[in-house]
């Protein structure tokens, strides 16, 4: 009764839907009806609490909960059931689960080291944009939700040059002011070349899968990702559920036979969709699974505000078949799919990465980053067959289908501005943009594989590699949840800092 009441009020906000739902206990209906008809000024929350109390007193049956949203369910910890689908070939991909895990074991320390470099740790983002779809209920007031932007003095000179559009040769040159340089360039550009640049921007927009902020926008601020890590913040409830409902129910391609009462598409019904729409859903589901894995792996230790570590009970609640209508294990397998899709994008642009300078203005650090990226690329070649993008968007309907997928995913990138928790918004925007960059590389023909065609903004490079890092870290964390034992299902988190 508790689960049904809370879930339906948060997703539908409609008493009629609540009372008519087949999954809502009939014994609860008279109680809920009575309290909703009782309009004497009593606060909604008090009426709901009273309803739940009565349901508890009468020991009414509890229907299946929705662990993906983080339903509070008291149950024994048994994480092994969460991994029952993690075997064999990854759906829609060219390699199996074991091959992925062996590759992750090599990539994880390499990416962890790379992403501590200044080029990748400073992310330029707008965290104060209003939600474009609904009126916000206000930001999260929990301490863990806040994000601390960087001081301008903390940002390497070369990174700030990326944002200003200055050439690398002019960075740090006191004889050349920003305004004078821009004026000089504008005077030298012909009308013909202006039209060419305009055509390039339109071409880039046509291949884009998400809304990206312009590098030189004055409304952005730098955030140090190492000082604001992705972890459990306590953000949940109506606001968090509304985000995922908008993503799954309004911006995923759903078979007509799937009930609107359940936001996710049952895995057995995915094959009623075409390959492209299945892949799209798996990407979104894999991202969601990755986020939930991080929140469970970096969960606040009870009574200690500055300590975080794996929480077995939280992980089981989000992925156990008993709390997810049997879908949790498949969601974890979708995580592997999303990882392979992003990895394929990095592999496809191999030539481009080998020519990229990853410029910050510090020659020693820049050389380290170049060497580290090449090492990662060499490691990925041990598993070159990951995801075959050439099988997507083929045939006469391909242009229309691609536009539909782009439109849906662009909406998801805008929904990130509706996230109430600032830290969750930060990592949501970064990873959605990273996935958008991966799809842009994969589905733009050979523009990024030749090393001579497509050009990515620094923000796209930063989000792509950080997203690969997040997905790699999630799969690595699954190993912890398979092994963790101890008091209350928690173990201390191992901390390592690698000095550049």
């Amino acid at each position: 009764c508790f689960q049904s009441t809370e879930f339906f009020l948060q997703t539908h906000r409609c008493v009629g839907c609540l009372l008519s739902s087949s999954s809502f206990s009939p014994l609860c209906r008279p109680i809920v009806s009575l309290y909703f008809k009782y309009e004497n000024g009593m606060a909604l929350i008090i009426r709901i609490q009273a309803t739940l109390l009565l349901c508890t007193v009468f020991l009414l049956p509890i229907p299946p909960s929705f662990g993906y949203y983080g339903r509070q369910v008291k149950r024994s910890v048994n994480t092994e059931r969460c991994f029952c689908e993690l075997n064999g070939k990854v759906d829609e991909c060219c390699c199996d689960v074991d091959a992925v895990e062996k590759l992750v074991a090599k990539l994880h320390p390499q990416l962890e080291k790379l992403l501590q470099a200044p080029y990748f740790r400073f992310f330029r983002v707008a965290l104060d944009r209003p939600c474009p779809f609904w009126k916000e209920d206000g930001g999260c007031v929990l301490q863990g939700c806040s994000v601390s932007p960087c001081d301008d003095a903390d940002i390497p000179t070369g990174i700030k040059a990326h944002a200003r559009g200055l050439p690398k040769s002019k960075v740090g040159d006191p004889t050349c002011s920003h305004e004078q340089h821009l004026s000089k360039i504008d005077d030298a550009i012909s009308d013909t070349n202006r039209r060419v640049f305009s055509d390039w921007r339109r071409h880039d927009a046509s291949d884009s899968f998400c809304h990206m902020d312009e590098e030189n926008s004055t409304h952005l601020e730098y955030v140090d990702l190492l000082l604001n890590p992705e972890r459990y913040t306590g953000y949940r409830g109506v606001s968090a559920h509304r985000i995922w409902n908008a993503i799954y129910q309004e911006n995923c391609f759903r078979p007509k036979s799937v009930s609107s009462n359940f936001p996710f598409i049952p895995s057995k019904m995915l094959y009623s969709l075409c390959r492209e729409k299945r892949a799209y859903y798996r990407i979104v589901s894999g991202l969601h699974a990755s986020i939930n894995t991080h929140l469970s792996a970096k969960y606040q230790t009870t009574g200690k505000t500055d300590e975080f570590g794996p929480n077995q009970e939280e992980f089981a609640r989000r992925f156990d078949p008993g709390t997810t209508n049997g879908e949790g294990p498949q969601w974890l397998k979708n995580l592997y799919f999303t990882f392979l899709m992003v990895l394929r994008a990095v592999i496809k642009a191999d030539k481009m990465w080998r020519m990229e300078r990853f410029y910050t203005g510090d020659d020693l650090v820049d050389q380290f980053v170049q060497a580290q990226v090449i090492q990662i690329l060499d490691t990925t070649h041990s598993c070159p067959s990951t995801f075959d993008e050439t099988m997507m968007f083929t045939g006469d309907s391909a242009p229309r289908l691609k536009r539909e997928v782009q439109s849906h995913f662009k909406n998801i990138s805008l929904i990130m501005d509706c996230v109430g928790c600032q830290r969750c918004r930060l990592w949501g925007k970064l990873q959605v943009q990273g996935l958008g960059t991966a799809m842009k590389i994969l589905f733009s023909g050979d523009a990024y594989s030749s090393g001579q065609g497509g050009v990515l903004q620094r923000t796209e490079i930063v989000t792509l590699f950080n997203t690969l890092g997040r997905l790699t870290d999630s799969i690595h964390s699954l190993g912890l949840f398979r092994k963790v034992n101890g008091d209350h299902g928690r173990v201390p988190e191992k901390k390592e800092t690698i000095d550049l």
Side-chain angles (χ1 to χ4, degrees):
C1 185
F2 178 95
Q3 299 300 325
S4 298
T5 304
E6 184 185 23
F7 177 74
F8 278 95
L9 286 177
Q10 289 172 346
T11 57
H12 295 282
R13 306 178 70 88
C14 165
V15 181
C17 299
L18 172 65
L19 298 179
S20 64
S21 168
S22 60
S23 64
F24 190 76
S25 173
L27 295 176
C28 290
R29 290 176 186 145
I31 301 172
V32 177
S33 298
L34 174 65
Y35 278 92
F36 275 105
K37 290 177 181 177
Y38 184 55
E39 297 292 344
N40 65 347
M42 183 182 294
L44 175 61
I45 187 64
I46 296 176
R47 297 202 302 275
I48 294 174
Q49 288 174 341
T51 299
L52 302 180
L53 176 61
L54 285 173
C55 290
T56 304
V57 170
F58 287 110
L59 300 177
L60 299 178
I62 298 177
S65 61
F66 296 87
Y68 218 35
Y69 279 156
R71 295 284 123 243
Q72 292 287 357
V73 181
K74 285 287 185 180
R75 60 187 314 280
S76 60
V77 178
N78 180 13
T79 59
E80 282 306 311
R81 303 198 322 160
C82 304
F83 304 110
C84 61
E85 292 290 336
L86 292 187
N87 54 72
K89 186 178 177 182
V90 179
D91 299 309
E92 320 280 358
C93 291
C94 308
C95 60
D96 58 28
V97 169
D98 288 341
V100 171
E101 292 175 348
K102 290 177 182 178
L103 179 61
V104 164
K106 299 176 184 177
L107 278 180
H108 184 258
Q110 296 174 357
L111 280 166
E112 195 174 50
K113 193 173 182 180
L114 174 71
L115 298 178
Q116 293 185 46
Y119 186 92
F120 291 102
R121 69 184 285 182
F122 294 111
F123 176 44
R124 201 158 186 256
V125 61
L127 294 176
D128 57 354
R129 295 191 188 281
C131 174
F133 299 112
W134 58 75
K135 184 178 180 180
E136 296 178 83
D137 299 325
C140 176
V141 296
L142 297 172
Q143 183 178 359
C145 289
S146 62
V147 170
S148 301
C150 300
D151 293 330
D152 189 68
D154 296 332
I155 310 302
T157 305
I159 292 180
K160 287 186 284 189
H162 281 286
R164 294 173 184 161
L166 289 172
K168 298 178 180 63
S169 61
K170 292 293 185 181
V171 174
D173 185 351
T175 65
C176 177
S177 70
H178 176 44
E179 292 78 12
Q180 290 173 337
H181 177 74
L182 290 180
S183 176
K184 180 179 179 181
I185 289 180
D186 284 344
D187 289 343
I189 296 176
S190 68
D191 290 339
T192 300
N193 284 334
R194 290 180 198 275
R195 286 193 293 271
V196 171
F197 293 148
S198 179
D199 290 341
W200 267 106
R201 283 194 294 269
R202 284 195 295 271
H203 173 75
D204 188 65
S206 69
D207 287 331
S208 176
F209 282 79
C210 65
H211 290 281
M212 302 284 293
D213 294 310
E214 291 291 337
E215 291 275 356
N216 59 358
S217 173
T218 59
H219 301 290
L220 309 183
E221 55 188 357
Y222 287 100
V223 174
D224 188 335
L225 298 174
L226 296 186
L227 298 181
N228 298 276
E230 183 182 24
R231 64 191 183 195
Y232 182 80
T233 64
Y235 175 62
R236 64 195 315 153
V238 175
S239 178
H241 293 185
R242 184 187 292 174
I243 298 297
W244 288 112
N245 279 326
I247 290 173
Y248 282 109
Q249 295 194 341
E250 300 174 20
N251 290 285
C252 281
F253 302 94
R254 300 173 65 85
K256 294 180 179 179
S257 55
V258 175
S259 170
S260 61
N261 291 339
F262 193 63
F264 318 108
I265 302 175
S267 54
K268 63 182 180 182
M269 302 181 73
L270 268 182
Y271 283 92
S272 64
L273 299 174
C274 67
R275 183 190 301 271
E276 291 81 2
K277 293 179 180 180
R278 290 199 307 269
Y280 175 91
Y281 179 81
R282 293 190 196 280
I283 290 169
V284 173
S285 175
L287 171 64
H288 197 178
S290 179
I291 291 171
N292 276 333
T293 301
H294 292 142
L295 302 187
S296 303
K298 294 178 173 60
Y299 197 90
Q300 188 173 6
T301 304
T302 303
K304 298 180 180 180
T305 58
D306 58 346
E307 290 188 11
F308 294 81
N311 186 310
Q312 290 282 83
E313 183 175 338
E314 182 72 12
F315 180 81
R317 188 160 55 79
R318 293 176 183 269
F319 293 108
D320 189 276
T323 60
T324 60
N325 282 1
E327 293 295 321
Q330 185 60 49
W331 294 339
L332 285 177
K333 202 164 188 178
N334 290 340
L335 162 60
Y336 284 61
F337 172 87
T338 305
F339 165 78
L340 289 173
M341 187 275 294
V342 174
L343 181 65
R344 170 57 191 155
V346 172
I347 293 173
K348 184 173 183 177
D350 181 291
K351 292 181 180 179
M352 185 171 66
W353 308 132
R354 293 179 187 274
M355 293 188 293
E356 176 64 43
R357 291 183 61 188
F358 303 102
Y359 185 78
T360 66
D362 186 322
D363 290 340
L364 290 178
V365 173
D366 295 347
Q367 290 170 15
F368 161 80
V369 171
Q370 286 177 302
Q372 191 68 18
V373 169
I374 290 174
Q375 182 185 30
I376 289 171
L377 293 173
D378 292 341
T379 299
T380 62
H381 287 297
S382 65
C383 183
S385 299
T386 55
F387 173 81
D388 188 359
E389 72 278 4
T390 62
M391 300 187 66
M392 308 275 285
F393 301 112
T394 60
D396 296 338
S397 63
R400 175 187 56 79
L401 187 56
K402 182 179 177 181
R403 288 193 297 270
E404 288 182 15
V405 170
Q406 287 175 305
S407 175
H408 280 60
F409 204 79
K410 284 181 179 180
N411 277 346
I412 292 178
S413 69
L414 292 176
I415 289 172
M416 292 301 103
D417 286 322
C418 303
V419 177
C421 165
Q422 199 173 39
R423 187 179 298 236
C424 305
R425 180 183 293 201
L426 166 69
W427 285 100
K429 288 174 76 77
L430 182 145
Q431 291 174 89
V432 167
Q433 290 180 14
L435 293 178
T437 302
M439 288 189 279
K440 178 179 177 179
I441 292 172
L442 290 176
F443 305 124
S444 298
D446 297 327
Y448 300 94
S449 60
S450 65
Q452 300 177 352
V455 177
L456 296 177
Q457 299 181 45
R458 175 184 171 269
T459 299
E460 292 175 302
I461 299 173
V462 170
T463 58
L464 177 65
F465 276 87
N466 270 284
T467 300
L468 179 63
R470 294 285 76 208
L471 294 167
T472 303
D473 189 67
S474 292
I475 296 174
H476 172 76
S477 296
L478 295 183
L480 296 178
F481 287 115
R482 281 172 161 161
K483 298 175 182 177
V484 167
N485 288 300
D487 188 31
H488 304 298
R490 295 185 182 88
V491 296
E493 181 183 14
K494 184 179 179 181
K495 287 283 187 180
E496 287 187 0
T497 300
I498 301 172
D499 295 325
L500 297 177

